[in-house]
Structure formats: C-alpha cells, structure tokens
Amino acid sequence: QRSFSIDYDNNTFLKDGKPFQYVSGSIHMYRVPMAYWHDRLNRMKAAGLNAIQTYVFWDQHEKVQGVYDFEGNNDLVAFIKIAQSLDLLVILRVGP
C-alpha cells in the first residue's frame, strides 16, 4: 500500500513507510511544446531530481469564462502521466 507521511520525531518524510527526501525542480509545461515534455522531464530525472514542480496557469485552461481547454499543450493529465512514467513525483501548484 502506497503512503506518504511525516515522521515528526525524526524530522523526515516517509514514503511507503521509509525515510524519503525529495529533490525537486520546477518546469512550466506551458512554456515547453508538448512534443518536448518527455525529453525535458527525462533530462530533469537525469540531473538527479526525483520530483518536479509545475504551476497550473489557469488562464491557459479557461481563456473564456466557463469554457475549458485541456487539449494539446494544455493537456495537464498527459504531462503528469509522462512524469509518472519516468518515476517522477509531481508537486502541482494550482492557481486561480
């Protein structure tokens, strides 16, 4: 069973019951063409990262109020699945 918690007594994160330190870098998926997502995330992993942080630019998904766009370069699920396929954790920062 997968889990993520904090061991306050030992001042550490626990992932699946074991001490865990995440090493994260930031990438804005909207500034990288979709065709390069896998390459860029793979390079981040090769640099020693085990997590990536990305911010959701909500104005890219809802340019017109009530009309949502999650296609092409806005395909947030595809981006996260690519990170998952590379065994990268995702810290997702959702904004207004």
Side-chain angles (χ1 to χ4, degrees), residues 3-4 8 14 22 31 40 46-47 52 66-67 72-73 79-81 83 85 88 91:
S3 65
F4 190 86
Y8 291 101
L14 297 175
Y22 74 89
R31 295 189 171 127
R40 297 311 186 266
I52 57 108
V67 178
N73 223 57
F79 182 82
I80 292 170
K81 285 183 176 181
S85 77
L88 289 166
I91 301 168

Side-chain angles (χ1 to χ4, degrees), residues 28-91:
H28 292 146
M29 60 179 263
Y30 309 98
R31 295 189 171 127
V32 178
M34 186 178 193
Y36 296 107
W37 288 351
H38 188 278
D39 175 72
R40 297 311 186 266
L41 292 173
N42 195 43
R43 289 172 187 251
M44 294 177 85
K45 182 168 180 83
L49 304 180
N50 63 6
I52 57 108
Q53 175 190 193
T54 192
Y55 181 78
V56 177
F57 294 5
W58 195 253
D59 63 331
Q60 293 294 314
H61 295 289
E62 189 183 17
K63 291 181 180 181
V64 176
Q65 188 171 356
V67 178
Y68 305 102
D69 177 12
F70 287 93
E71 302 295 323
N73 223 57
N74 287 340
D75 194 340
L76 182 61
V77 172
F79 182 82
I80 292 170
K81 285 183 176 181
I82 292 169
Q84 181 182 29
S85 77
L86 295 168
D87 202 28
L88 289 166
L89 297 172
V90 176
I91 301 168

